[in-house]
Structures are given as structure tokens and as C-alpha cells.
């Protein structure tokens, strides 16, 4: 019965708050917020972004971690599918050693700009 009310509330939210957002997008946003709250015990997580990709029928989630070491700052970003808990790729850079790792599925990238281009296909329609 509570699922019915959650759907009803999400439907009301679509109508009232953002008429161009789909139920799938709102559901994806809700899952992403829950995942982010669960990850908050990790003091290095700083941000997240969610997007329901209609063409792929997937709720995609990019989470960003930042941490400081004695020799510099490090940034990790993971792109994953929240519904099946699958990581599609990641990006890692360090102020000390520069770009260290960057790939999405079977594609390697060599800069943050390339990472953003690869992720764009997942995080935008």
C-alpha cells in the first residue's frame, strides 16, 4: 500500500514541481539521493549527479570523492547504474601526479575533457 502512495506522491510532484520531469527521472533522483545519504559515512564523498537515461532505460549516477594527502589533492569520480549496481567507468586525478585513470566501459580517456565527453552520452539525452 505504501508503494501506491509513493507513486501518487511522485506523480503529484511531477505535476506541481516540474511538469517536464518523468516519473522515471524522479524515481532515479530519489534512488540517487538515498545512495548519496548511505555513502555519507565516507567523509571523502562530496557530490553526486543522477540522470535517468530514457534511451538506455537506466538510472545513472556519478559520485565524486575528494581527499587530501600530504603530497596533494585527489579526485575520484565513478559512473554507475544504480538499478543494477554496475560501475561503467571512473576518473581519477591527483594534483601531485596529474591524470592517473580515466575510462568508460571499453573506452580509455586521457583528460578530464575526454571524460566529460564520454560521460555526456550517459548523463544527457
Amino acid at each position: 500500500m505504501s508503494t501506491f502512495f509513493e507513486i501518487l506522491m511522485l506523480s503529484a510532484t511531477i505535476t506541481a514541481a516540474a511538469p517536464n520531469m518523468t516519473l522515471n527521472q524522479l524515481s532515479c533522483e530519489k534512488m540517487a539521493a538515498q545512495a548519496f545519504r548511505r555513502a555519507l559515512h565516507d567523509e571523502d564523498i562530496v557530490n553526486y549527479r543522477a540522470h535517468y537515461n530514457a534511451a538506455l532505460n537506466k538510472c545513472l549516477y556519478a559520485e565524486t570523492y575528494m581527499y587530501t594527502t600530504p603530497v596533494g589533492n585527489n579526485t575520484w569520480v565513478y559512473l554507475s547504474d544504480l538499478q543494477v549496481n554496475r560501475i561503467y567507468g571512473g576518473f581519477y586525478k591527483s594534483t601531485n601526479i596529474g591524470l592517473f585513470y580515466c575510462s568508460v566501459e571499453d573506452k580509455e580517456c586521457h583528460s578530464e575533457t575526454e571524460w566529460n565527453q564520454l560521460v555526456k552520452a550517459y548523463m544527457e539525452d
Side-chain angles (χ1 to χ4, degrees):
M1 186 96 162
S2 69
T3 303
F4 172 75
F5 289 115
E6 287 178 14
I7 291 171
L8 185 62
M9 292 302 293
L10 282 173
S11 297
T13 303
I14 290 171
T15 304
N20 61 342
M21 285 189 88
T22 67
L23 184 58
N24 287 333
Q25 179 64 32
L26 287 171
S27 178
C28 180
E29 295 283 345
K30 183 179 176 183
M31 278 194 309
Q34 289 171 343
F36 184 70
R37 280 193 300 275
R38 282 192 303 271
L40 280 177
H41 71 278
D42 185 337
E43 62 196 39
D44 298 326
I45 192 166
V46 295
N47 197 6
Y48 77 95
R49 198 171 68 146
H51 175 69
Y52 175 74
N53 186 306
L56 298 174
N57 191 30
K58 296 187 182 299
C59 178
L60 299 163
Y61 177 73
E63 60 187 2
T64 303
Y65 294 81
M66 298 177 103
Y67 58 96
T68 303
T69 69
V71 294
N73 298 317
N74 299 293
T75 303
W76 276 103
V77 181
Y78 294 103
L79 175 66
S80 63
D81 178 340
L82 277 177
Q83 294 161 311
V84 296
N85 198 27
R86 176 180 175 226
I87 294 176
Y88 284 94
F91 171 85
Y92 172 72
K93 72 177 179 178
S94 167
T95 56
N96 184 42
I97 60 173
L99 181 67
F100 182 76
Y101 171 81
C102 182
S103 75
V104 175
E105 292 197 280
D106 61 346
K107 298 176 183 124
E108 287 188 26
C109 44
H110 305 285
S111 69
E112 191 167 355
T113 301
E114 286 181 38
W115 162 259
N116 290 330
Q117 283 301 112
L118 289 173
V119 169
K120 187 176 184 178
Y122 294 86
M123 298 299 283
E124 295 179 12
D125 287 329

